[in-house]
Amino acid sequence: MQSSNMINYDYSVAKCFAIATIVFGIVGMAIGVLIAFQMAYPELNYLAGEYSTFGRLRPLHTDAVIFGFILSGVWSTWYYIGQRVLKVSMAESPFLMFMGKLHFWLYIVGVAVVVVTLFMGITTSKEYAEFEWPIDIVIVLIWVIWGMGIFGLIGIRREKTLYISIWYFIATFLGVAMLYLFNNMAVPTYFVAGLGKWYHSVSMYAGTNDAMVQWWYGHNAVAFVFTVPIIAMVYYFLPKESGQPVFSYKLSLLSFWGLMFVYLWAGGHHLLYSTVPDWVQTMGSIFSVVLILPSWGSAINMLLTMKGEWGQLKSNPLIKFMILASTFYMFSTIEGPIQAIKSVNALAHFTDWIPGHVHDGTLGWVGFMIIASLLHMAPRMFKREIYSKKLLEAQFWIQTTGIVLYFSSMWIAGITQGMMWRAADQYGNLAYSFIDTVNVLHPYYTIRGVGGLLYLVGFFMFSYNFYKTMTASKAIEEEPQSASPMAA
């Protein structure tokens, strides 16, 4: 049998998903910038008739970022991390290599169909679950293929101990599988009642039950796509890039099980002050507050991994991205529970504070961690040093500025909205009309658009840096043991 220190890892599938990550990131973020400016300048809704309206583009933005950019990043890092942590190359199993490539190409076909149908306005109208039942079947098939790849690689591993990152990848697979299956249970109307198009369906659940299942899914889609696999990345890439061991392996396990148990029951906080039973709402609020413990356990573990080595923040921009990502994770996971407290939610619900919260996590935590992960992988996959350190430093500050502009403008806009909506005059009548709030928020929507644009500019810089690293930067003879080599 091949010695574990002589294994030639096969990164062909990881490379494919890395490129997909960049392409879908550009598309998803560009659409996001456009719809952000549409909020400030409504005439931008009519650039291409019905196909450029906010309602048509917004699902494309969310799905391109969540299921395009983020999932491609997750899969790229899995096909990299999985082999290295389990000490086995995919090339050793023709079956696993075939399944990996099938996973990628079937996924690309699925994405193409999603783009076409959403542009056409074919949607179930469920948040993060807009796809009609034929596409759902393809998605389930893609997910099963990935699961076969995960457990197949685990089955032929040389390293018997499963590192914590593998735990998180397994949880991602199992969690999303359960959530997606239950929330997307649907009845095809044409085949059951002879009504509508052949692809049309209605949810198997109705009314309040549908809302509860939807937000059990919706909130945990954030858990098992935005959070769990990104923690898998940071537990691998931060120690590898810094050369430091994880601060506490026991804390990583404690945080894992805490996150698995608590996160699943927090979705009810999306339905406060609704027809959902009060005990479900209260449970959602309580579990959201308790969620601070495992979330901060992971984040603190990441930060303490750099104990005594903070000087690397000056010398290594990838460490800078990872540490600020962990900081944004702490930031986002204290803000979410605060918004889930009933008295705060009474002010915050339906306001722009909510997308402010979502985006400081998505842009700061998820985006920065995926960017840093791909750039750590690049020298090891392509045997070339990172093309430009200066470009990476500039990208960091441009994107950080964009994030701060985005979430701060949305905080101010959201709290302003909430206060104006509930303000009353001396007679008990509402003090402001809805259009009054729209007029007041215009400058904040403009700032939000500018923040998103800065982040997109930074992402283009990252994409160029990655491309040049892949094709034109200086070749390296030996794989770096820790800090990634990069040109000045």
Side-chain angles (χ1 to χ4, degrees), residues 65-296:
V65 171
I66 300 170
F67 302 120
F69 167 64
I70 300 176
L71 265 189
S72 293
V74 168
W75 285 329
S76 179
T77 55
W78 157 254
Y79 284 109
Y80 178 91
I81 294 172
Q83 296 181 82
R84 296 175 73 96
V85 169
L86 297 172
K87 296 289 188 291
V88 61
S89 173
M90 285 184 64
E92 296 176 51
S93 170
F95 173 74
L96 289 180
M97 182 56 72
F98 170 76
M99 294 302 284
K101 292 178 178 177
L102 178 63
H103 176 200
F104 175 76
W105 288 111
L106 189 59
Y107 168 69
I108 294 300
V109 170
V111 168
V113 175
V114 163
V115 170
V116 171
T117 55
L118 288 181
F119 259 127
M120 291 171 65
I122 299 171
T123 171
T124 63
S125 301
K126 297 183 78 170
E127 185 80 346
Y128 313 140
E130 291 90 354
F131 318 135
E132 283 288 5
W133 66 270
I135 301 174
D136 286 336
I137 292 173
V138 174
I139 291 171
V140 169
L141 180 59
I142 292 168
W143 208 255
V144 169
I145 290 171
W146 182 43
M148 292 172 69
I150 292 175
F151 293 107
L153 206 61
I154 291 172
I156 63 170
R157 73 190 188 275
R158 293 187 178 86
E159 174 57 61
K160 297 306 177 185
T161 302
L162 295 183
Y163 181 62
I164 188 65
S165 293
I166 302 298
W167 291 42
Y168 278 99
F169 279 119
I170 293 171
T172 301
F173 168 74
L174 294 176
V176 173
M178 172 183 65
L179 295 161
Y180 201 87
L181 285 171
F182 278 97
N183 187 54
N184 288 278
M185 294 286 187
V187 179
T189 55
Y190 179 82
F191 296 103
V192 173
L195 300 172
K197 303 287 187 180
W198 66 271
Y199 52 76
H200 181 262
S201 64
V202 294
S203 174
M204 188 174 288
Y205 316 104
T208 299
N209 288 337
D210 191 34
M212 286 195 290
V213 174
Q214 161 60 29
W215 283 109
W216 170 71
Y217 162 84
H219 188 74
N220 288 295
V222 173
F224 289 98
V225 179
F226 284 49
T227 306
V228 170
I230 312 302
I231 295 175
M233 291 180 204
V234 78
Y235 271 131
Y236 177 83
F237 290 113
L238 183 59
K240 290 295 287 185
E241 184 67 28
S242 66
Q244 291 286 100
V246 171
F247 174 72
S248 171
Y249 202 76
K250 288 182 180 178
L251 182 56
S252 73
L253 297 177
L254 182 66
S255 297
F256 174 85
W257 289 113
L259 205 67
M260 293 305 106
F261 178 74
V262 176
Y263 224 130
L264 283 168
W265 308 111
H269 70 223
H270 287 267
L271 299 166
L272 300 181
Y273 302 104
S274 70
T275 56
V276 167
D278 190 62
W279 69 267
V280 174
Q281 300 180 39
T282 302
M283 180 176 69
S285 294
I286 292 171
F287 274 84
S288 298
V289 174
V290 175
L291 191 56
I292 295 170
L293 298 175
S295 300
W296 276 47

